[in-house]
Amino acid sequence: MADRPLYITRPEGDDLYTVLQRRTLAELQRLAGEVWTDYNPHDPGVTVADAVNYALTETDYKLGFCMEDYLTDADGTWSVCGYGLFPASEVYPSAPVTPDDYRRLILARFPMVQNVDIIPDLGNCSYSFILRLSPFFTDEAGVIGRVRSFLNRHRNLCETIGGVTIGQPEKLTLEAELEILPGCNATEILVQIYWTAMQYLSGSVQLEVSDSGNPEQGPDLSSWYDGPVKDVRAVIPLQRNTERELFWRLNGIEGVRGFKTCWFRDTEGRAVTDFKDGYMLRIPDSLSDMVVTVRGERVYADVDEFKERLKAKYFLRSTLRMRHLMQEHGRGMTDVHGDTSVQEMRRKARYRDVYGHYPVAGELPECYRTSDKDFVSGTPASKIAEAVNFGSYLRLFDLLMERGMGELAGLKSLLSIEEEDSPSRIPTLPEGTLDMRKRRDRQRNVSALKDRYMDFLDGLYGTDSNPLWLREFDYYSRSEDDRLKRRMAFLRELPRLVRYRSRGVDITGTYGGENIPAVKRHLSLHLGFNCDEEVSVGNILPGHNLILMGDGEKGHRVRELMNSAMIDDSLFDDDMVEAIEPDDPPGTEEERLRRDEDLRRSLPIFNSNWISGSLFREGIRLDNYNLVPDGSEWILAFRGREERLRMNLGRSDDKERLRGWANTLCRYLRGLNRQCEAVYVVEKSLFKPAERLSVLLVFSGWTARTHSPRFRDACTQLARSVIPAHLKMETCWLNASRMQRFEECYRKWRDCLAGRLPEEMRAGLQKDMTDVIDAARASEAGTGDSSGTAT
């Protein structure tokens, strides 16, 4: 108490309010000159300035808290991952790529496995696993199936899981004579001795739950890259596997005074002093099997009790302890791949309810009468008008500060990468604040700021979610929200994309859903492709009762006839042709379906089911449509760059109806193009005969983007940057008809690998897929349809 001051010390320098008030008075004096010479506080102008400066000072105070306080919910926590700030435990651990990684993966996931030996087969790019189980675990067949399924879910591209077997190492018998300290429990010490020997012979593997994701303690830098399992680590210490090393561990057990003899004998009675070949400890089944004496007497303990206590110790330290710690840390949930999913980590902060604003007029005395409500009845209208004008003037200050508080409240939406927080505009003023006709007067366009924040996240994690070349091909985004949603979806999955970038498909699992290669997920999220393999992109157009015409010279004349080609150039006088202006998109899904249905009934091109590649790909651009006068009617004409054919899409005496058709058709074709884009990852190492370390990427090649050679080259470079460097990569771009055949064969081929279809079908399906690829290569050489190529 003697060191604490008895009064509050005034801080040095002037506070913000004093500075604002001094500068305000100086500015008023400069503006008024000799007209106004009284600057006392009772002056109305000084009083108003005083109230406004206090409001500005309060606003500055509200803007001075820590950033996380503005991101905090009312419960006092905020989601770290929701803003793209993933903890080190989510970003840095790597997927298994070495035998030791696979070893740690199994040991961390299956506590009943005491150790595992991994035998790589370099010729076939496969791994064989020999499991060493606990002596208390008897379901060998069950654990083999679970381990095999788990390994297939973590299999890397072009790797295969070979045999998974249970090792049966020779069992050693412990013979010892020892002395214990007075008062110690002989049975408990015996349990400790057997437990220590069992652990040592199995490799001394220990399971730990680290605090790398604990926001209070911070990550353990030494464990960022250690092991494939994020928070559960399998520690495999180095040991010399000698009798001397094990003896010192046994001698260090609490309660043991010393050993007179200590032997480990094999089944033939020979003493074993070198344990590197792998052994197990034999657990005695009866008193006669227990060759351990204490102080010259045998330990007459109940063998059943001894075994139960030893078993309980094993499960307590291996299974229950790990499960309890995982649940305590909130890491018990797993996704469909068996991986610990990206957790919604929440950190603590202080919630600040600072977004409200008290009007400036409320701080003034009632005699100032800033609104018509402050006057009694019978007051002249001129006086009321002056007061209302003065109140409106003060309201401008309120609007300025309310807009600032609105932007502050929108900070969560601005920095969030969650799907529900993707608008490019944030409200800054409540609805009805002013009678504003334009909505943007109450909102601020923050798309540029949101892009800058995502650029920051790209730099933080060493990626580029919006490269320049991709912006050139941003054909399908109808608004800023669509473009931002694609980028945010990619960043939300970034930890999984980085960690599992080399992971292949689970060939034993179900087809589709989340069971896709990491490369496919990465490319699909990056490019906005269809990621669901249960949806066949080759069936998108047939599902809409449309057939895409080929693009070769062979069918050129047929396409001219079917496309209603127009050859009268006199109709297309620049002074007569009118451009199509964009209209408002449908507000609901029901309205969109109604417009699409009206379009299909009204336009003649939907009567034949055939659609040209030029219209399908270039019809997504509204500037390719025009209105052409023809007598008393108008023609809706289309002309693309691919074939230079003018197409008559329809005619009517109502120009607005034709404009509506053009806009609806443009949106309809954009949706079809987007749905038709996909990529398949085929591991040719799974072929028979296998092509080692070879991956084939099969792209749909008939859409507006994937038909472009520049887009294909950029996609190839992007894929090469994602696929591991030791793998050979091939790309193939198929037209719609070939993609249909490929998807049918690919799905059945996957079913053969998983055992859902007979193995005898596998060779034929593989041949059909390769025939499709060969046909695409022939097309590239100029012998067929140019819309399907392979490189």
Side-chain angles (χ1 to χ4, degrees), residues 527-758:
L527 302 173
F529 282 4
N530 178 19
C531 199
D532 187 1
E533 291 191 348
E534 294 183 3
V535 177
S536 299
V537 294
N539 290 329
I540 296 296
L541 291 180
H544 288 258
N545 204 22
L546 294 175
I547 303 173
L548 190 64
M549 299 181 189
D551 301 322
E553 292 293 333
K554 186 176 180 180
H556 181 71
R557 181 54 183 166
V558 176
R559 293 195 299 274
E560 286 183 342
L561 297 176
M562 297 189 67
N563 289 340
S564 299
M566 304 178 64
I567 59 175
D568 189 357
D569 292 336
S570 62
L571 293 174
F572 295 89
D573 191 323
D574 292 339
D575 295 333
M576 304 295 294
V577 174
E578 292 187 14
I580 303 293
E581 297 296 330
D583 64 358
D584 295 328
T588 63
E589 182 67 13
E590 291 76 11
E591 183 182 358
R592 184 190 69 81
L593 294 175
R594 182 186 59 78
R595 291 190 189 184
D596 291 348
E597 179 63 24
D598 178 68
L599 181 76
R600 286 190 289 265
R601 288 197 308 263
S602 303
L603 292 190
I605 60 170
F606 290 101
N607 296 335
S608 64
N609 305 123
W610 291 89
I611 183 172
S612 70
S614 176
L615 177 60
F616 175 72
R617 287 184 285 270
E618 299 183 274
I620 66 173
R621 297 176 59 91
L622 198 59
D623 54 7
N624 288 329
Y625 300 87
N626 296 106
L627 292 178
V628 182
D630 185 17
S632 61
E633 293 185 310
W634 292 81
I635 295 175
L636 177 59
F638 166 82
R639 185 178 186 183
R641 298 181 179 181
E642 289 187 18
E643 296 193 356
R644 299 291 181 181
L645 293 178
R646 294 190 181 97
M647 296 174 55
N648 179 7
L649 300 180
R651 60 189 299 131
S652 174
D653 58 352
D654 186 353
K655 290 197 299 182
E656 294 304 320
R657 188 181 186 190
L658 294 176
R659 287 193 179 97
W661 286 350
N663 279 276
T664 303
L665 179 60
C666 186
R667 284 190 289 266
Y668 179 69
L669 294 177
R670 285 176 186 170
L672 289 181
N673 274 265
R674 173 179 286 177
Q675 296 175 51
C676 288
E677 293 183 340
V679 58
Y680 288 89
V681 180
V682 182
E683 300 175 53
K684 302 179 76 173
S685 58
L686 301 176
F687 283 179
K688 286 187 176 181
E691 297 185 30
R692 297 175 59 248
L693 304 178
S694 180
V695 174
L696 172 65
L697 302 183
V698 180
F699 292 88
S700 54
W702 64 89
T703 68
R705 294 197 302 178
T706 60
H707 193 260
S708 167
R710 293 178 58 190
F711 184 82
R712 294 183 178 186
D713 291 341
C715 280
T716 301
Q717 295 178 14
L718 175 62
R720 182 67 272 181
S721 67
V722 175
I723 290 180
H726 68 283
L727 299 181
K728 174 186 176 183
M729 187 191 78
E730 302 177 21
T731 59
C732 179
W733 305 80
L734 301 183
N735 59 23
S737 59
R738 290 182 184 132
M739 180 60 82
Q740 282 184 308
R741 181 57 180 160
F742 169 82
E743 288 179 319
E744 179 185 5
C745 297
Y746 176 73
R747 182 162 191 166
K748 293 181 178 179
W749 177 71
R750 285 276 306 276
D751 287 339
C752 289
L753 291 176
R756 293 186 289 269
L757 287 178

Side-chain angles (χ1 to χ4, degrees), residues 336-354:
V336 295
H337 287 279
D339 310 318
T340 308
S341 58
V342 177
Q343 301 296 323
E344 185 186 359
M345 176 171 291
R346 302 190 69 86
R347 294 192 176 182
K348 294 182 179 180
R350 185 171 181 179
Y351 175 68
R352 307 281 186 177
D353 188 9
V354 295

Side-chain angles (χ1 to χ4, degrees), residues 184-390:
C184 295
N185 189 310
T187 303
E188 180 62 28
I189 291 179
L190 192 61
V191 170
Q192 291 285 354
I193 290 174
Y194 270 83
W195 168 255
T196 303
M198 286 172 54
Q199 285 290 95
Y200 184 85
L201 294 178
S202 64
S204 299
V205 177
Q206 298 178 1
L207 298 179
E208 296 180 356
V209 179
S210 65
D211 288 324
S212 57
N214 190 332
E216 303 298 333
Q217 298 183 9
D220 181 8
L221 304 184
S222 63
S223 63
W224 276 4
Y225 297 95
D226 187 12
V229 184
K230 294 189 301 183
D231 295 321
V232 179
R233 299 178 57 211
V235 180
I236 308 175
L238 296 176
Q239 58 186 37
R240 292 186 291 272
N241 291 313
T242 63
E243 182 191 35
R244 181 180 180 86
E245 187 177 46
L246 176 55
F247 172 75
W248 285 112
R249 293 194 182 187
L250 296 175
N251 200 53
I253 295 176
E254 185 178 358
V256 175
R257 174 170 289 177
F259 283 84
K260 184 176 181 181
T261 60
C262 183
W263 300 96
F264 290 89
R265 299 188 183 275
D266 58 18
T267 55
E268 298 181 1
R270 295 190 298 262
V272 178
T273 59
D274 190 351
F275 306 125
K276 65 181 179 182
D277 293 333
Y279 295 94
M280 293 183 65
L281 186 63
R282 181 172 175 267
I283 307 299
D285 295 324
S286 63
L287 291 176
S288 60
D289 295 335
M290 188 176 296
V291 195
V292 178
T293 58
V294 177
R295 294 182 179 177
E297 299 180 0
R298 299 179 65 86
V299 179
Y300 294 101
D302 185 274
V303 174
D304 293 335
E305 179 187 356
F306 162 75
K307 293 177 66 175
E308 286 300 322
R309 294 177 67 174
L310 184 60
K311 184 178 180 180
K313 189 176 185 65
Y314 163 75
F315 280 106
L316 178 63
R317 292 199 175 183
S318 300
T319 305
L320 299 181
R321 178 174 178 271
M322 187 185 74
R323 184 179 304 170
H324 170 72
L325 289 176
M326 290 181 67
Q327 293 175 352
E328 182 182 354
H329 286 266
R331 305 176 184 116
M333 298 300 294
T334 58
D335 60 15
V336 295
H337 287 279
D339 310 318
T340 308
S341 58
V342 177
Q343 301 296 323
E344 185 186 359
M345 176 171 291
R346 302 190 69 86
R347 294 192 176 182
K348 294 182 179 180
R350 185 171 181 179
Y351 175 68
R352 307 281 186 177
D353 188 9
V354 295
Y355 308 109
H357 171 71
Y358 189 73
V360 173
E363 300 288 348
L364 299 177
E366 293 184 2
C367 62
Y368 277 66
R369 296 178 180 178
T370 57
S371 68
D372 54 357
K373 298 179 181 179
D374 296 335
F375 293 88
V376 298
S377 60
T379 304
S382 58
K383 280 192 173 184
I384 297 178
E386 292 179 1
V388 170
N389 289 336
F390 177 59

Side-chain angles (χ1 to χ4, degrees), residues 389-614:
N389 289 336
F390 177 59
S392 299
Y393 172 75
L394 295 181
R395 185 63 177 143
L396 293 177
F397 290 100
D398 293 331
L399 289 176
L400 176 65
M401 285 174 273
E402 286 179 5
R403 190 182 294 272
M405 292 299 100
E407 292 192 11
L408 184 64
L411 187 62
K412 289 183 180 180
S413 177
L414 172 64
L415 300 184
S416 174
I417 61 172
E418 297 292 343
E419 185 175 4
E420 61 271 14
D421 295 322
S422 59
S424 57
R425 295 178 181 271
I426 58 174
T428 57
L429 290 175
E431 297 288 342
T433 300
L434 288 178
D435 185 15
M436 299 177 179
R437 296 181 180 180
K438 296 182 180 180
R439 186 176 183 85
R440 64 171 178 267
D441 292 336
R442 293 189 297 268
Q443 294 185 337
R444 178 182 176 184
N445 189 343
V446 295
S447 57
L449 293 175
K450 208 170 184 74
D451 271 329
R452 287 179 59 186
Y453 180 67
M454 286 188 280
D455 289 341
F456 160 75
L457 295 178
D458 284 345
L460 183 63
Y461 301 118
T463 186
D464 188 359
S465 60
N466 192 33
L468 288 174
W469 66 267
L470 188 58
R471 303 175 197 176
E472 177 186 350
F473 297 97
D474 192 15
Y475 295 159
Y476 313 139
S477 297
R478 292 172 291 181
S479 63
E480 287 290 337
D481 284 0
D482 291 338
R483 184 181 59 81
L484 292 174
K485 284 181 179 179
R486 179 202 61 79
R487 194 173 182 187
M488 292 162 61
F490 176 80
L491 290 172
R492 283 196 302 272
E493 290 290 318
L494 191 60
R496 217 163 36 145
L497 297 178
V498 172
R499 184 185 306 117
Y500 305 127
R501 61 181 303 175
S502 60
R503 176 168 296 181
V505 69
D506 179 9
I507 59 177
T508 64
T510 57
Y511 183 84
E514 293 292 321
N515 188 18
I516 58 175
V519 173
K520 177 184 177 72
R521 184 183 300 277
H522 191 289
L523 295 177
S524 299
L525 291 174
H526 206 144
L527 302 173
F529 282 4
N530 178 19
C531 199
D532 187 1
E533 291 191 348
E534 294 183 3
V535 177
S536 299
V537 294
N539 290 329
I540 296 296
L541 291 180
H544 288 258
N545 204 22
L546 294 175
I547 303 173
L548 190 64
M549 299 181 189
D551 301 322
E553 292 293 333
K554 186 176 180 180
H556 181 71
R557 181 54 183 166
V558 176
R559 293 195 299 274
E560 286 183 342
L561 297 176
M562 297 189 67
N563 289 340
S564 299
M566 304 178 64
I567 59 175
D568 189 357
D569 292 336
S570 62
L571 293 174
F572 295 89
D573 191 323
D574 292 339
D575 295 333
M576 304 295 294
V577 174
E578 292 187 14
I580 303 293
E581 297 296 330
D583 64 358
D584 295 328
T588 63
E589 182 67 13
E590 291 76 11
E591 183 182 358
R592 184 190 69 81
L593 294 175
R594 182 186 59 78
R595 291 190 189 184
D596 291 348
E597 179 63 24
D598 178 68
L599 181 76
R600 286 190 289 265
R601 288 197 308 263
S602 303
L603 292 190
I605 60 170
F606 290 101
N607 296 335
S608 64
N609 305 123
W610 291 89
I611 183 172
S612 70
S614 176

